[in-house]
Amino acid sequence: MNVEFKPIGIIRSCYTDKFGIPRQPGLVKSATATLELLSPFNQPEAFRGLDDFSHLWICFMFHATASRDWKPTVRPPRLGGNRRVGVFASRSNFRPNPIGLSVVELLAVNGTVLQLGGGDFLDGTPVLDIKPYIPYSDSLPEARGGFANTVPTPENSVIFLPEVLKQFQTLETPERPRLKQLITDMLAFNPRPAYQGDDPERVYGTSVFDLEVKWKQQDNQVTVIAVT
């Protein structure tokens, strides 16, 4: 049996690079995104009553890695990037069907566009479905989380070079809201591969909005050296 899905919408996200996206939704609450319905689904009636809910389930496609082969085992970052588990015991994007599922905060409904907070979406992500988050059925405090049973905490402290701090006076705009906070939150959760060792001279880089962020890391201190 062949199954074919048509995207109902597309995500426009502050994350324009896979490197740096938080590994789970809700970790970086300063992250912003919009979800715009596509034709023929772009009818305001489709969102009627949605603003009564505070959070949504977004079912989407891992479009940037969809062409890569899946593997039966993967190495989750929470296990240090060395121990393998079955792909179905993980949330890896390298799956037989590259489908993702994230719960995010609904900030506003504007016509056929949703304003979302705390997402983990790459810009351009195709959306397959939207469902309201139902607290009484979707929140299960007694559930076991396997190797991810505890809430991750930020590993890094983040500082900015003085010349970079001055830039935020002009870089923070309505199109780039809370930019400094976003970069701080993103880098605090250590986006580097879990198996990668420390090299204090290595320069890392990733994109947010239309900007390139570069930083160095020594132990658990990140220094942002440029935002261009």
Side-chain angles (χ1 to χ4, degrees):
M1 181 177 61
N2 291 323
V3 179
E4 183 175 335
F5 290 105
K6 183 177 182 180
I8 64 165
I10 191 166
I11 294 280
R12 292 302 175 195
S13 169
C14 59
Y15 298 116
T16 52
D17 191 337
K18 290 182 293 181
F19 182 46
I21 295 178
R23 295 182 174 111
Q24 296 296 338
L27 293 180
V28 178
K29 299 187 183 302
S30 52
T32 58
T34 61
L35 192 167
E36 182 176 357
L37 290 182
L38 300 174
S39 179
F41 313 108
N42 55 342
Q43 303 178 36
E45 293 84 357
F47 285 156
R48 184 182 301 169
L50 194 64
D51 53 3
D52 291 333
F53 297 88
S54 65
H55 292 75
L56 304 175
W57 288 106
I58 307 297
C59 182
F60 61 94
M61 180 178 177
F62 291 113
H63 65 295
T65 56
S67 61
R68 297 182 61 175
D69 291 336
W70 75 283
K71 294 182 179 179
T73 62
V74 296
R75 298 184 295 179
R78 286 291 293 270
L79 294 176
N82 294 310
R83 177 182 160 192
R84 287 188 173 273
V85 301
V87 64
F88 298 125
S90 80
R91 296 194 178 187
S92 169
N93 51 330
F94 300 109
R95 318 186 70 80
N97 294 306
I99 296 172
L101 185 66
S102 291
V103 62
V104 295
E105 185 178 5
L106 175 60
L107 301 177
V109 180
N110 300 315
T112 58
V113 177
L114 303 180
Q115 301 290 332
L116 307 176
D120 56 346
F121 309 110
L122 180 65
D123 187 58
T125 291
V127 175
L128 303 178
D129 201 7
I130 304 164
K131 297 180 186 292
Y133 178 90
I134 308 296
Y136 82 86
S137 64
D138 295 346
S139 177
L140 303 172
E142 71 279 8
R144 290 184 292 111
F147 61 82
N149 203 41
T150 57
V151 179
T153 56
E155 300 177 27
N156 300 330
S157 60
V158 181
I159 62 174
F160 298 79
L161 291 184
E163 56 267 32
V164 176
L165 282 174
K166 292 179 181 179
Q167 291 182 267
F168 288 108
Q169 298 176 11
T170 55
L171 290 179
E172 286 193 342
T173 66
E175 292 75 29
R176 306 188 197 105
R178 303 178 65 193
L179 178 63
K180 179 176 176 289
Q181 188 65 54
L182 172 64
I183 294 172
T184 301
D185 294 344
M186 179 182 71
L187 298 183
F189 278 99
N190 198 5
R192 300 180 308 163
Y195 55 83
Q196 196 166 73
D198 284 334
D199 179 357
E201 296 305 314
R202 178 169 181 172
V203 176
Y204 297 91
T206 190
S207 299
V208 292
F209 298 109
D210 57 339
L211 304 171
E212 180 77 11
V213 181
K214 294 185 179 180
W215 77 92
K216 293 183 177 181
Q217 181 165 345
Q218 185 168 11
D219 299 323
N220 292 106
Q221 179 168 297
V222 170
T223 302
V224 179
I225 62 174
V227 180
T228 58

